[in-house]
Amino acid sequence: MKSLRRLWYRLSPQLLLGELLEKRWMEPIVPFTLLLVVFVAFIVMIPGYTSIPQLQQLMRSFPEQGFVAMAMAISILSGGLDLSVGAVFAMADFLTLYFLMVLEWPLPLTIVAVMGWGALIGAINGGLIAYAKTRPFLTTMVVLIILRAAYNKITGQYAVELAGASSDSAAWDYLGGGFLFGIPINMVCLLVVGVVAHFYLTRIRSGVHIMAVGSSRKAARHAGIDVKWSLFMAYVLSGMMASLAGILYAARQNSAGTDTGVGWEVNALAAAVLGGISLSGGRGTISRALMGAAIIFLLINGLVQLGTHGSLTTAIIGAILLAAVAFNVKFVKNKGKLLQKIYVTPSLVEFEPPASIARDSGTVFAENDRLKNAEAIALDKIEGPEDIILDEDDHLYTVNRNGSIIRFLAPDYEVREEFARIGGRPLGMALDREKNILVCVAGMGVYGVKPDRTVFKVTDETNRTWYRFKDDSRLWLADDLDVAPDGKIYFSDATTRYDLSDWALDGFEGRGNGRIVCHDPATGKTNTVLSNLAFPNGVCVSHDGRSVLWVSTWLCRIYRYWIAGEKAGQLELLVDNLPGYPDNVNRASDGTYWLALVGIRSPVYDLAMADPAFRTRMVKQIPPDEWMCPGINNGCVIKFDDTGRVLESLWDPGGRSHPTITSMREHKGYLYIGGLENNRIGRVKLPNADVNWTGWTSYWASSVNSDPDAEASNVHRISAARAKYVSGA
């Protein structure tokens, strides 16, 4: 039963639903669902509705309405409205027939002329709205009235000539009744133009500018966009789309009646709203407009085939559209709230009671005062030194909250200078063989800084998980890293569901949202080597270079991943059930490792982790500043060896100087301490530590010197130091 409960929380359907709602293509789910429902309903009610001739007839009759809906959508997306699309469509129908059949113009010239007519009307609308600053509703309404009156006048005047005219153009006949791979040619035109229009509005600069103007004219203006020109072009495109619809309609019907295009502007507006296009502009797509138009078209066509009276048909369509639009608007408006309520999906995490940290407990974790009087370096000169590192000249580098790497010059570390500005929130650091500083930057990936202060990007993406709806190819929260002897960079991407501002929510979930990633500078390739990890954090290559140690913060564990030797590719648990939440891990001079505990476990929070329903209610019902969180009011660093045995602990009780310790580095007999929320870097003298040992020489001295004797001497020195420590010296 417990296994089923654990599996349920690990594979919660809520997790899938949250990822689905997060996708932008889920916004039109209501019109898409309604489209399927309408289509299936008519399949059931109308015999032969899915026959090939019937489907071809539907596809041949729909494109003109689709083009008019796209014309309306473009104007709305720009933040305006074009009520003249129906009249432009009707006039384009007449002009096409008149130019081609009465004046006997060639078909290409006719198409160009009619499209130019649509562009002209769009230019009049756009010029008045963009440059004369008239209201879109009134402007296009007046143009509608004028064009409709002109259309009624000229169709009556030339009715006899049009009735007796004809065209011998094979291309014209093909445009009106031809097929391409069984699909009517006008439907092919709609699909091609629809794809081009979508690409234009989402990928081409001028199209993106139209969307930006629709979202916020003020913001677009501040971004340097020519707002007036973008508005002008939106109406020009709208007129051309409506004219193209008229050309295809003329080819299909070969007639121009007095009722042509009447009410089409209303249907186009309803299609845009039904498809989820915001009337305030800037939000929506061409595909949504086409979905809305298809729903209206199928409803009208299906009800007519069922023999429904015209007035009743209108009433039914109106009622369905009203309900669908109301539901769609409600869904779009509240989708964010719904996502916020269900996105956090806690998993089941069960802990055993940890070793006691009480001062008189006698355990290796017993609280002490070894960090209480640590020397304060750079006091109030740094904000959030999450990690620190020292070079061969003893200069100290640390990350700053403002996105920069700060260097404090040896020997007294009083001189502060900005070594490099990267941006984002820099976190874990490492030095490679060329003495470049490699740094994880939350939300950006992994970057590097050369000794000459040149900033370069290492990687910002990895391979995507094929079975997830969420695109996790981008690095979300690159946290800590280290470099293997072969130059490969191993780093943790702590979570793919939350950014740095919401990292605590990942803790409330306690599920495997993170991964360990490897970047190979030799090939430039980045690949995920371990996935579904619970907030992987600190990363450290072992002293022998054959494995990578990494911590799972929320599970309070340390793992070893083998990268060389007969165990290569294997993962094993090294340390379990720590009394606190581990963060960065780094090498020590005696062949062991230092580990920072960013927070301390409590029995109450352990119980909360074993009750996902409680954590769900807490996140939904309680303000964030009242959420139950791990204890971060103590500073602690521990040391452990390659077998997973914890050897000692160093404490700052109450966290007066160093709460939320996230990192520590040993350098020439001292331990330097950093913290995510601290305003200083701590330094304590380590008894019996090697005063000549540095992190960089531990990694690269033997490879740089290429001296086998020196390498053997280094290994012998580490072994002797470890033996000395274990013997109690």
Side-chain angles (χ1 to χ4, degrees):
M1 191 66 181
K2 183 178 291 187
S3 299
L4 290 177
R5 181 167 177 258
R6 187 179 295 108
L7 182 64
W8 167 261
Y9 281 112
R10 186 168 66 87
L11 304 176
S12 173
Q14 183 176 322
L15 185 67
L16 176 63
L17 181 59
E19 290 196 356
L20 279 174
L21 289 176
E22 193 182 27
K23 305 298 293 184
R24 290 189 63 184
W25 49 261
M26 278 295 291
E27 292 184 4
I29 187 64
V30 175
F32 180 75
T33 303
L34 180 59
L35 178 62
L36 290 180
V37 170
V38 170
F39 187 67
V40 172
F42 287 133
I43 290 175
V44 174
M45 291 186 287
I46 301 175
Y49 194 74
T50 56
S51 64
I52 298 299
Q54 171 74 1
L55 292 177
Q56 288 179 333
Q57 182 58 41
L58 289 174
M59 287 190 289
R60 189 176 299 282
S61 302
F62 171 67
E64 297 89 26
Q65 297 185 37
F67 276 113
V68 174
M70 285 197 293
M72 179 67 75
I74 291 173
S75 66
I76 294 176
L77 289 172
S78 71
L81 185 67
D82 190 355
L83 295 176
S84 67
V85 291
V88 173
F89 158 76
M91 188 63 80
D93 172 38
F94 168 79
L95 291 176
T96 302
L97 295 174
Y98 182 76
F99 292 156
L100 185 69
M101 297 182 178
V102 178
L103 300 183
E104 297 183 350
W105 286 8
L107 179 59
L109 179 60
T110 298
I111 293 175
V112 171
V114 176
M115 293 291 287
W117 147 261
L120 174 63
I121 299 301
I124 293 172
N125 283 331
L128 291 171
I129 294 169
Y131 293 98
K133 298 184 179 180
T134 59
R135 298 289 184 181
F137 180 86
L138 293 176
T139 302
T140 57
M141 176 66 78
V142 170
V143 173
L144 163 65
I145 295 172
I146 295 173
L147 288 181
R148 179 56 62 181
Y151 175 79
N152 291 336
K153 177 69 175 177
I154 61 176
T155 52
Q157 183 175 348
Y158 292 96
V160 176
E161 292 184 57
L162 288 178
S166 63
S167 174
D168 296 329
S169 171
W172 178 249
D173 294 336
Y174 181 72
L175 186 62
F179 294 89
L180 181 65
F181 303 115
I183 301 175
I185 193 64
N186 59 348
M187 187 66 182
V188 174
C189 292
L190 177 66
L191 295 175
V192 172
V193 174
V195 171
V196 172
H198 175 79
F199 184 81
Y200 174 76
L201 291 174
T202 57
R203 297 293 186 272
I204 305 301
R205 177 175 296 180
S206 57
V208 174
H209 286 179
I210 291 175
M211 298 290 287
V213 169
S215 296
S216 172
R217 293 190 185 183
K218 183 178 180 180
R221 189 176 296 110
H222 288 169
I225 295 174
D226 189 337
V227 174
K228 293 180 180 180
W229 176 253
S230 295
L231 283 174
F232 177 81
M233 285 304 301
Y235 284 94
V236 170
L237 291 173
S238 177
M240 293 176 69
M241 284 284 190
S243 293
L244 182 55
I247 294 170
L248 295 175
Y249 187 83
R252 183 168 65 88
Q253 297 284 46
N254 277 299
S255 65
T258 56
D259 62 343
T260 300
V262 173
W264 279 42
E265 61 277 344
V266 177
N267 285 347
L269 180 60
V273 176
L274 184 58
I277 295 178
S278 173
L279 291 178
S280 60
R283 193 184 73 224
T285 61
I286 291 296
S287 61
R288 295 191 201 180
L290 291 177
M291 275 192 288
I295 293 171
I296 296 174
F297 170 76
L298 289 177
L299 282 172
I300 295 174
N301 180 276
L303 291 173
V304 168
Q305 290 193 51
L306 290 173
T308 308
H309 190 273
S311 58
L312 182 58
T313 298
T314 303
I316 292 174
I317 292 174
I320 293 175
L321 291 179
L322 183 63
V325 169
F327 186 81
N328 191 34
V329 170
K330 194 74 173 177
F331 174 77
V332 172
K333 182 178 180 180
N334 294 283
K335 184 174 77 75
K337 295 179 180 178
L338 176 62
L339 179 61
Q340 186 178 13
K341 288 185 177 181
I342 70 169
Y343 192 75
V344 180
T345 312
S347 183
L348 180 64
V349 180
E350 297 175 299
F351 287 115
E352 295 292 331
S356 175
I357 63 172
R359 187 175 290 265
D360 58 354
S361 64
T363 69
V364 71
F365 297 106
E367 186 180 280
N368 54 63
D369 298 318
R370 295 181 62 183
L371 299 181
K372 186 175 181 179
N373 297 316
E375 176 188 356
I377 296 176
L379 182 63
D380 292 327
K381 295 181 180 180
I382 193 71
E383 294 183 35
E386 200 274 348
D387 198 7
I388 62 267
I389 201 163
L390 295 99
D391 64 17
E392 285 299 277
D393 296 320
D394 302 332
H395 300 316
L396 189 153
Y397 302 79
T398 187
V399 294
N400 200 39
R401 196 186 304 277
N402 68 353
S404 59
I405 294 179
I406 304 299
R407 178 166 70 175
F408 294 94
L409 301 182
D412 54 12
Y413 304 116
E414 291 294 327
V415 178
R416 177 189 188 275
E417 62 179 6
E418 184 177 81
F419 185 71
R421 175 67 66 93
I422 299 176
R425 179 53 166 110
L427 297 171
M429 298 190 295
L431 282 169
D432 67 9
R433 182 180 283 103
E434 288 74 32
K435 299 185 180 181
N436 299 315
I437 297 177
L438 305 176
V439 57
C440 289
V441 185
M444 293 174 57
V446 179
Y447 282 71
V449 183
K450 297 180 180 179
D452 64 2
R453 307 191 182 198
T454 302
V455 177
F456 62 95
K457 182 176 73 175
V458 177
T459 182
D460 61 359
E461 61 181 6
T462 183
N463 54 297
R464 179 175 179 174
T465 306
W466 64 269
Y467 56 84
R468 290 188 62 179
F469 286 105
K470 187 182 184 73
D471 184 359
D472 59 355
S473 59
R474 181 174 67 88
L475 299 177
W476 280 70
L477 187 53
D479 201 334
D480 193 30
L481 76 168
D482 207 356
V483 187
D486 59 2
K488 292 181 179 179
I489 303 168
Y490 291 86
F491 61 93
S492 56
D493 193 21
T495 174
T496 58
R497 282 172 58 82
Y498 301 96
D499 54 27
L500 184 63
S501 62
D502 294 324
W503 69 273
L505 291 175
D506 192 90
F508 294 131
E509 283 197 355
R511 68 172 56 254
N513 297 327
R515 54 197 171 180
I516 297 294
V517 184
C518 176
H519 174 77
D520 187 355
T523 62
K525 294 182 178 180
T526 306
N527 293 289
T528 300
V529 295
L530 295 171
S531 58
N532 301 319
L533 311 178
F535 210 87
N537 201 335
V539 175
C540 179
V541 173
S542 63
H543 284 276
D544 60 9
R546 296 162 61 88
S547 63
V548 175
L549 310 181
W550 61 271
V551 308
S552 173
T553 297
W554 306 138
L555 299 184
C556 303
R557 293 172 175 170
I558 306 173
Y559 289 89
R560 183 197 301 274
Y561 176 70
W562 292 93
I563 59 175
E566 59 183 15
K567 292 185 177 181
Q570 296 184 23
L571 178 68
E572 63 184 34
L573 179 62
L574 186 62
V575 182
D576 193 10
N577 204 32
L578 289 165
Y581 297 92
D583 205 292
N584 286 1
V585 54
N586 288 304
R587 293 181 181 180
S589 60
D590 58 2
T592 60
Y593 305 91
W594 295 106
L595 174 71
L597 297 183
V598 70
I600 304 301
R601 285 168 54 186
S602 68
V604 174
Y605 196 77
D606 282 1
L607 287 175
M609 294 299 289
D611 190 348
F614 168 80
R615 304 202 307 280
T616 300
R617 292 192 300 272
M618 178 180 69
V619 172
K620 289 181 179 179
Q621 301 175 11
I622 300 177
D625 58 349
E626 297 181 10
W627 288 347
M628 180 186 300
C629 295
I632 57 175
N633 56 346
N634 284 279
C636 182
V637 174
I638 67 172
K639 179 186 279 191
F640 66 95
D641 63 17
D642 272 309
T643 67
R645 184 164 61 99
V646 177
L647 305 173
E648 62 176 311
S649 61
L650 294 75
W651 287 80
D652 176 18
R656 296 179 181 178
S657 299
H658 300 287
T660 61
I661 295 178
T662 53
S663 64
M664 69 278 103
R665 297 276 182 175
E666 183 177 339
H667 182 82
K668 293 187 176 180
Y670 287 91
L671 190 67
Y672 295 79
I673 303 166
L676 187 64
E677 304 295 335
N678 293 347
N679 65 342
R680 71 193 73 188
I681 296 168
R683 182 170 72 169
V684 294
K685 179 70 174 176
L686 295 173
N688 304 319
D690 187 343
V691 296
N692 296 313
W693 187 91
T694 68
W696 191 85
T697 55
S698 171
Y699 281 83
W700 309 116
S702 59
S703 61
V704 172
N705 295 333
S706 299
D707 184 350
D709 294 334
E711 183 175 0
S713 176
N714 185 49
V715 172
H716 176 74
R717 179 178 54 79
I718 292 175
S719 301
R722 183 189 294 114
K724 181 179 180 182
Y725 181 88
V726 172
S727 66

